[in-house]
């Protein structure tokens, strides 16, 4: 048994749905369970409709047209979608009367995208002679807390999912389950969304709880690559990475599974394979607990822009422990996450996302330290076996020195699988190209 997850771009229109259906059919002997996102830009269109409703106008034309036109092109009749469109219109009417969109109502609103997507796919597959059955996530046991827009699944899902899908797991049910990603219900039966990486989390939770042989997430590249192919045309697929390496890649800009979605498969040891929906014969990249062979010196290089550097120098008689405690308490107070950090006894250099409002934080820090803020920076991260850090850094800095590039900060992660460097944002692509040439010979 395998779990197959397809994102919104994979099911954006009738043509893409037909293609995904053909992939599902190609794997039907492996007893797939399918997780789908909303079609294309549906979530954006739903939020746009909500904004209009708050202002008093109810309009579902974009959402309605996409789904009814797609059904017509696929040659399927999906009454359940008509029902959902009617329910959506009723919800928007309520929002227009209240002139307000709460977090709870927002989760209810965006759920329509995934719910219509699975109904469309199951109808098309069944019409093509491959019996399928749609499920909303709560039908297969997804229960979350009530933290709307960023809900967490409760531990009971580990027990619920095998019970709800026992007929399919045992082979008694032949219809392929097509399940909504991204959504759940809380204990009160209210719809919630799982936040960033929610669809990936839905897929890994299902695969882990069911003891699947493999979880597959389908994208538009041949798995995980050594770097962004738009930056380095010589980028090549990486056969395998560990869960830890994949988490670091995702944290530092690579389009891999969201780190929180790794938690269920790490707990169960279920491998995750990243596949190319345009090249289904490619083996892709597998994410597992440990490398099956020798650990590669360097696995991949990734980068993230929109980074701000904050240099903090103590101007009081703090001890090292007191100084660091004061610094981190201010970040906690202002709910600002730190990406990369380097410290000495009386100074700290760290990076944060440029989008964060730093005015209050900087004012508080300035009461006990000299603070310098530098924007337009980028983090370039080498995912590697840090036991070879000396040779990796020697090769990296030799190459960068030869090109006249100065690294402004360096940090080796506690995970021992990454080395991060801070550079000017305008140098990012050049640095990635130089490092890729130096480290992948």
């Amino acid at each position: 048994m395998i779990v197959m997850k397809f994102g919104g771009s994979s099911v954006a229109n009738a043509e893409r749905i037909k293609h995904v259906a053909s992939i599902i059919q190609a794997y039907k002997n492996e007893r797939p369970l399918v997780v789908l996102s909303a079609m294309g830009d549906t979530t954006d269109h739903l939020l746009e409709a909500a904004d209009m409703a708050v202002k008093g106008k109810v309009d579902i034309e974009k959402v309605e047209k996409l789904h009814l036109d797609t059904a017509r092109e696929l040659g399927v009749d999906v009454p359940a979608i008509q029902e959902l469109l009617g329910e959506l219109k009723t919800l928007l009417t309520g929002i227009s009367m209240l002139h307000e969109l709460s977090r709870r109502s927002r989760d209810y609103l965006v759920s329509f995208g995934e719910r219509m997507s699975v109904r469309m796919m199951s109808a098309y597959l069944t019409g093509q002679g491959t019996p399928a059955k749609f499920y909303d996530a709560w039908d297969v046991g997804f229960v979350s807390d009530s933290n709307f827009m960023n809900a967490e699944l409760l531990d009971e899902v580990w027990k619920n999912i095998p019970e709800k899908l026992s007929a399919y797991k045992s082979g008694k049910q032949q219809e392929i389950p097509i399940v909504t990603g991204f959504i759940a219900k809380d204990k009160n039966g209210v719809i919630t969304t799982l936040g960033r990486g929610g669809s990936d989390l839905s897929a890994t939770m299902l695969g882990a709880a069911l003891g699947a042989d493999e979880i597959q997430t389908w994208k538009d590249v041949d798995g995980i690559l050594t770097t962004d192919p738009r930056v380095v045309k010589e980028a090549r697929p990486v056969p395998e990475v560990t869960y830890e390496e994949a988490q670091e890649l995702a944290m530092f800009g690579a389009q891999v599974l969201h780190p929180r979605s790794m938690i269920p498969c790490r707990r169960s040891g279920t491998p995750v394979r990243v596949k190319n929906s345009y090249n289904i014969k490619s083996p892709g990249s597998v994410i597992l607990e440990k490398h099956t062979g020798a650990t590669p010196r360097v696995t991949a290089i990734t980068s993230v822009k929109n980074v701000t550097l904050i240099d903090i120098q103590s101007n009081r008689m703090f001890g090292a422990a007191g100084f660091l405690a004061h610094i981190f308490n201010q970040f906690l107070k202002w709910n600002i996450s730190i990406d990369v950090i380097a410290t000495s006894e009386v100074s700290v250099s760290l990076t944060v996302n440029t989008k964060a409002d730093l005015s209050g934080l900087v004012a508080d820090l300035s009461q006990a330290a000299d603070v310098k803020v530098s924007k337009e920076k980028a983090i370039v991260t080498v995912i590697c076996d840090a036991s070879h850090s000396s040779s990796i850094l020697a090769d990296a800095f030799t190459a960068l020195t030869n090109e006249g590039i100065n690294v402004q900060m360096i940090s080796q992660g506690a995970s021992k699988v990454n080395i991060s460097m801070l550079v000017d944002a305008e140098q990012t692509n050049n640095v990635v190209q130089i490092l890729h040439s130096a480290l992948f010979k």
Side-chain angles (χ1 to χ4, degrees):
M1 180 181 175
I2 61 173
V3 172
M4 309 174 77
K5 180 258 176 179
F6 297 91
S9 60
S10 294
V11 290
N13 53 43
E15 180 183 355
R16 297 299 299 141
I17 288 174
K18 288 179 182 178
H19 182 65
V20 168
S22 71
I23 296 173
I24 296 168
Q25 289 169 324
Y27 281 84
K28 64 182 179 182
N29 290 337
E30 296 187 45
R31 295 193 56 74
L33 180 151
V34 180
V35 177
L36 296 184
S37 296
M39 289 179 61
D41 296 326
T42 298
T43 300
D44 289 338
H45 292 158
L46 286 166
L47 292 172
E48 183 183 329
D51 288 340
M52 294 173 64
V54 169
K55 297 172 184 175
K57 182 179 180 182
V58 175
D59 184 357
I60 63 168
E61 181 181 358
K62 288 183 179 178
V63 176
E64 185 175 47
K65 186 176 189 307
L66 173 63
H67 289 83
L68 296 186
D69 285 355
T70 300
R72 186 163 51 252
E73 288 180 52
L74 294 174
V76 296
D77 181 25
V78 194
I81 288 181
Q82 290 281 15
E83 291 175 14
L84 286 176
L85 288 170
E87 186 181 336
L88 171 62
K89 200 163 188 176
T90 300
L91 171 62
L92 290 169
T93 300
I95 293 170
S96 71
M97 295 174 69
L98 293 172
H99 297 287
E100 180 184 0
L101 180 67
S102 66
R103 294 168 66 89
R104 171 173 168 164
S105 296
R106 185 186 185 278
D107 277 4
Y108 179 20
L109 174 84
V110 298
S111 76
F112 284 90
E114 274 71 15
R115 292 157 70 194
M116 289 190 285
S117 178
V118 298
R119 286 154 173 78
M120 188 82 72
M121 180 62 77
S122 63
Y124 180 71
L125 280 169
T126 301
Q128 295 299 303
T130 302
K133 182 179 180 180
F134 69 81
Y135 293 88
D136 294 323
W138 44 86
D139 296 328
V140 296
F142 275 64
V143 183
S144 75
D145 60 22
S146 301
N147 183 22
F148 298 107
M149 294 174 58
N150 194 30
E152 294 289 347
L153 295 174
L154 303 182
D155 283 345
E156 64 193 70
V157 300
W158 287 92
K159 173 175 169 286
N160 293 348
I161 291 170
E163 288 179 355
K164 298 287 187 179
L165 290 166
S166 61
Y168 187 68
K169 185 178 180 181
S170 67
K172 294 178 181 177
Q173 174 185 324
Q174 295 306 308
E175 300 101 330
I176 296 172
I178 314 293
V179 184
T180 57
F182 185 57
I183 59 177
K185 277 186 177 179
D186 68 8
K187 289 277 196 179
N188 299 315
V190 179
I191 295 174
T192 61
T193 61
L194 303 179
R196 291 186 62 195
S199 289
D200 286 337
L201 177 59
S202 300
T204 56
M205 187 67 248
L206 284 162
L210 289 168
D213 297 318
E214 186 172 271
I215 300 160
Q216 298 177 350
T217 179
W218 289 78
K219 299 183 179 292
D220 58 0
V221 291
D222 284 336
I224 298 168
L225 304 183
T226 51
T227 196
D228 188 338
R230 296 168 297 183
V231 176
V232 179
K233 65 179 185 296
E234 296 83 11
R236 56 182 185 264
V238 178
E240 62 181 31
V241 300
T242 65
Y243 296 128
E244 196 168 37
E245 290 168 340
Q247 283 182 306
E248 295 289 342
L249 277 165
M251 287 296 292
F252 290 103
Q255 296 298 311
V256 192
L257 276 75
H258 191 275
R260 70 197 286 252
S261 69
M262 300 282 182
I263 296 171
C265 49
R266 291 195 72 167
R267 175 171 162 178
S268 65
T270 310
V272 180
R273 191 175 297 273
V274 183
K275 296 272 288 177
N276 187 350
S277 61
Y278 294 94
N279 182 16
I280 68 172
K281 292 183 179 179
S282 169
S285 303
V286 64
I287 306 171
L288 29 68
E289 187 63 41
K290 294 181 180 179
H291 287 283
T292 55
T295 302
R297 188 177 77 132
V298 177
T299 298
I301 300 168
T302 188
S303 64
V304 58
K305 298 179 182 178
N306 296 318
V307 169
T308 294
L309 171 66
I310 305 177
D311 291 311
I312 308 165
Q313 179 83 33
S314 174
N315 59 20
R316 292 192 181 180
M317 298 298 290
F318 278 116
F323 174 59
L324 290 175
H326 174 75
I327 296 301
F328 293 131
N329 281 337
Q330 303 313 310
F331 279 85
L332 177 63
K333 172 185 174 181
W334 291 99
N335 194 29
I336 294 175
S337 297
I338 297 169
D339 296 322
V340 172
I341 184 169
T343 69
S344 69
E345 187 169 358
V346 292
S347 67
V348 178
S349 293
L350 47 81
T351 66
V352 299
N353 189 303
T354 298
K355 294 178 181 178
D357 180 2
L358 302 178
S359 54
L361 171 69
V362 171
D364 282 354
L365 290 173
S366 297
Q367 294 179 22
D370 296 322
V371 182
K372 180 183 177 183
V373 177
S374 304
K375 297 188 176 183
E376 301 297 325
K377 304 297 179 183
I379 300 168
V380 178
T381 298
V382 180
I383 305 300
C384 59
D385 179 358
S387 65
H388 297 287
S389 60
S390 294
S391 68
I392 293 168
L393 288 170
D395 290 345
F397 281 117
T398 297
L400 292 172
T401 300
N402 290 340
E403 296 296 329
I405 292 176
N406 184 51
V407 173
Q408 299 163 34
M409 174 180 159
I410 184 168
S411 176
Q412 181 172 318
S415 64
K416 307 303 181 189
V417 299
N418 87 67
I419 299 172
S420 294
M421 309 171 195
L422 189 77
V423 298
D424 288 332
E426 62 186 17
Q427 299 175 316
T428 310
N429 289 357
N430 192 23
V431 170
V432 171
Q433 291 162 359
I434 292 166
L435 291 178
H436 196 274
S437 296
L439 300 175
F440 291 99
K441 298 176 181 177

